[in-house]
Amino acid sequence: MRQVTVDLEPGRCYVLIGENGAGKSTLLRILAGLLRPSFGTVKVFGSLEPQDARARIGYMSHAPMIYDELTAVENLRYFGSLYPDRPNLSPEAALRQVGLDPELARPLGQYSQGMRQRTSLARVLLPVPELLLLDEPFSNMDVESVSQMVEMLATFRQSNRTIVLTTHQREHAAPIADWVLALKAGRVASFEPGSPTL
């Protein structure tokens, strides 16, 4: 990333676009506290150390961090157990938030891509984060699944959560985009207001 300066407001959806290698995923990882900037500073929830705010951040990577041999509830139960001192939603409640039936007993390996993406989102929602960082949440999803994901994200944004997501398909995120940030070679090429309809 090079000379990126941006302020993110609560309750807004910021869409990062750009070609592969533009810096979209890197910026998300820096905001999540997974990478440190080599130059400049990043302040998240008023702290110069994003790690200090990690409990308030939900990060969904491009690679699904779920286990195919387990059911959705088993996956979420496992991930919730990794943070015993953090108040979490129940696996069932998190799955209902993303429109999945917690009684579904099939392993995730038998889920559609849209259902897998929603399970990944449910994992991110377990600790009720205030900042959602989503790397390519619409990847390999059909039109109906994309529409369902967008409606869910609109609901989360209306509850005053901030969303920052990357996508190669700007039109998918258009209904919830308050701002569109275009990156090119690690620099901000443009920062334009969106026109959210949801």
Side-chain angles (χ1 to χ4, degrees), residues 65 67 75-86 88:
M65 296 175 60
Y67 296 99
N75 265 278
L76 269 58
R77 191 172 292 141
Y78 167 72
F79 285 109
S81 72
L82 298 179
Y83 308 100
D85 299 326
R86 187 183 300 179
N88 287 328

Side-chain angles (χ1 to χ4, degrees), residues 154-165:
T155 300
F156 301 143
R157 183 193 58 184
Q158 289 164 5
S159 61
N160 210 38
R161 298 184 196 183
T162 303
I163 300 170
V164 183
L165 67 85

Side-chain angles (χ1 to χ4, degrees), residues 34-45:
L34 302 175
L35 292 177
R36 297 186 70 88
S38 55
F39 177 81
T41 59
V42 175
K43 189 179 289 188
V44 181
F45 295 118

Side-chain angles (χ1 to χ4, degrees), residues 102-157:
E103 300 297 325
L104 193 59
R106 281 185 291 162
L108 284 184
Q110 298 178 18
Y111 277 28
S112 69
Q113 181 61 25
M115 293 171 70
R116 289 168 59 81
Q117 287 290 83
R118 283 191 274 170
T119 303
S120 293
L121 181 58
R123 177 187 59 78
V124 171
L125 296 176
L126 275 175
V128 194
E130 299 169 54
L131 172 61
L132 290 175
L133 305 174
L134 311 177
D135 198 357
E136 296 288 347
F138 313 119
S139 178
N140 299 318
M141 295 174 71
D142 59 35
V143 173
E144 183 179 353
S145 295
V146 168
S147 178
Q148 292 170 345
M149 178 72 80
V150 167
E151 289 181 7
M152 285 184 289
L153 295 179
T155 300
F156 301 143
R157 183 193 58 184

Side-chain angles (χ1 to χ4, degrees), residues 40-105:
T41 59
V42 175
K43 189 179 289 188
V44 181
F45 295 118
S47 173
L48 290 172
E49 295 293 336
Q51 296 89 340
D52 295 342
R54 194 165 283 172
R56 302 169 68 183
I57 298 172
Y59 172 67
M60 180 174 142
S61 66
H62 182 49
M65 296 175 60
I66 49 180
Y67 296 99
D68 284 347
E69 66 274 16
L70 301 178
T71 68
V73 167
E74 290 169 341
N75 265 278
L76 269 58
R77 191 172 292 141
Y78 167 72
F79 285 109
S81 72
L82 298 179
Y83 308 100
D85 299 326
R86 187 183 300 179
N88 287 328
L89 293 173
S90 70
E92 293 81 5
L95 288 169
R96 290 190 187 99
Q97 279 198 5
V98 300
L100 290 177
D101 181 2
E103 300 297 325
L104 193 59

